[in-house]
Amino acid sequence: MCRFAIHLFVILLLTAFLSGCVYWRLLQIKLQLNDFDEYFSLIVADDLTWHFKQPLLYSEDFVYLAKLQPSSILQEKSGEKWQLLFRKIDDQGELIKPEINYFFSLKFNHQQKLTDLSLSPKFLKMAPPEFLEASLRSLGGGDIIESKRQLKVSSDKMLKISAKLPKQTIIIKYLGPPLKKTEEDGLEVYFYRFLLQTAHIDEGYEDRAFSDLKLWFDKKTLELVKFGGRFAGLKLRIDYRDYQQTGSENQALL
């Protein structure tokens, strides 16, 4: 075997090994979710922070999965703070003025392991902390669909809560008017589009710069009953009605 062929084989082997390690660590996190309070804590202030007591995921894992770089990296005493900044755009792809945005923050320790994931206050207007906590606590009981790299949680495994649903007026107050409106299954649907600020996206994954949000509202109560979006490669969908009734699924996929 020539030197080039050997070199190529080594690259392919290392790539497969890295891929396997990443998804093995994601599986371990999924198992940790079965004992949520032992491995995690949630801190709710203006934002929501998901703290990993025994961190597993590396910063390089995030880049491998997302296929892009964060908006900014800040050096701190405890390690690094990464931010993903999403900025609202119009139907021409231009930034809205005055700017409307939301962000995710990720903190990595000196071993480059993820210790904290924070969601900005504006994001919580669409996904209230009570529902996010119930969703996270329910993920341990989800089913992994390997072929789709998907984790689904059926409604009968969701925790039941009595928190209030967000109102349409609140969404408009913080996100402004939607890009477009439609109707679907008797619900009013709002579409928003945000652009991720990033220095680099891997070739073939350019669409990950766009964060498309889809919000379903009850036409009578004007309550947000369903939320879906994609965020730097992660697709998320939550049907808030699952907390009171059965029949659909919440899911996350990479």
Side-chain angles (χ1 to χ4, degrees):
M1 183 181 295
C2 69
R3 181 177 299 179
F4 173 78
I6 293 175
H7 181 65
L8 178 60
F9 174 75
V10 171
I11 291 176
L12 292 174
L13 181 63
L14 290 175
T15 301
F17 179 73
L18 174 61
S19 172
C21 288
V22 171
Y23 290 106
W24 181 86
R25 286 191 282 274
L26 289 175
L27 175 60
Q28 298 310 302
I29 292 175
K30 196 264 185 187
L31 294 175
Q32 286 183 344
L33 288 165
N34 290 316
D35 296 299
F36 192 90
D37 293 313
E38 179 177 351
Y39 293 101
F40 309 101
S41 63
L42 290 174
I43 304 167
V44 180
D46 291 333
D47 59 3
L48 179 145
T49 297
W50 183 15
H51 176 66
F52 296 72
K53 296 179 182 179
Q54 296 185 24
L56 294 170
L57 206 63
Y58 289 90
S59 57
E60 65 182 20
D61 294 338
F62 167 81
V63 174
Y64 172 80
L65 293 167
K67 309 299 183 186
L68 51 78
Q69 295 291 328
S71 306
S72 62
I73 298 178
L74 178 65
Q75 298 295 327
E76 297 185 332
K77 290 183 178 180
S78 58
E80 292 182 346
K81 180 180 180 180
W82 292 17
Q83 188 179 84
L84 299 174
L85 179 64
F86 300 87
R87 306 159 79 186
K88 186 181 178 184
I89 58 178
D90 59 22
D91 56 0
Q92 301 298 315
E94 299 295 328
L95 293 175
I96 297 292
K97 295 182 180 180
E99 182 172 315
I100 296 175
N101 63 57
Y102 67 88
F103 61 85
F104 301 156
S105 293
L106 301 91
K107 286 189 176 183
F108 298 94
N109 60 22
H110 290 297
Q111 288 73 47
Q112 287 297 306
K113 290 185 176 182
L114 179 65
T115 61
D116 296 276
L117 169 62
S118 298
L119 307 177
S120 67
K122 199 160 290 183
F123 186 85
L124 299 183
K125 301 303 179 183
M126 301 176 286
E130 299 90 343
F131 292 97
L132 286 174
E133 179 174 359
S135 295
L136 290 173
R137 289 180 176 275
S138 300
L139 286 176
D143 299 316
I144 297 175
I145 303 175
E146 293 185 13
S147 61
K148 297 182 179 179
R149 295 181 179 177
Q150 188 176 84
L151 176 61
K152 283 190 174 183
V153 184
S154 60
S155 58
D156 61 339
K157 295 181 180 179
M158 295 295 296
L159 296 178
K160 306 304 177 182
I161 60 176
S162 58
K164 293 182 179 179
L165 293 168
K167 290 285 189 177
Q168 191 178 85
T169 52
I170 295 297
I171 299 297
I172 294 175
K173 177 180 178 181
Y174 288 95
L175 296 186
L179 196 62
K180 65 176 181 177
K181 301 179 186 178
T182 62
E183 287 192 14
E184 185 178 305
D185 299 327
L187 299 173
E188 187 173 24
V189 185
Y190 279 19
F191 291 88
Y192 290 89
R193 171 164 276 199
F194 288 75
L195 181 66
L196 172 64
Q197 179 180 317
T198 177
H200 173 78
I201 298 179
D202 289 359
E203 184 177 354
Y205 295 90
E206 290 81 6
D207 64 331
R208 293 194 176 184
F210 298 102
S211 176
D212 294 319
L213 306 182
K214 190 175 180 180
L215 310 178
W216 290 261
F217 294 94
D218 185 293
K219 294 172 69 175
K220 292 183 179 180
T221 64
L222 299 182
E223 291 176 330
L224 178 63
V225 297
K226 193 175 177 181
F227 163 74
R230 59 177 186 170
F231 316 94
L234 174 68
K235 295 181 182 179
L236 177 66
R237 185 168 71 237
I238 303 176
D239 191 330
Y240 296 132
R241 297 168 297 183
D242 285 345
Y243 297 94
Q244 289 84 31
Q245 63 186 36
T246 60
S248 55
E249 294 177 325
N250 293 286
Q251 59 179 293
L253 57 101
L254 294 169

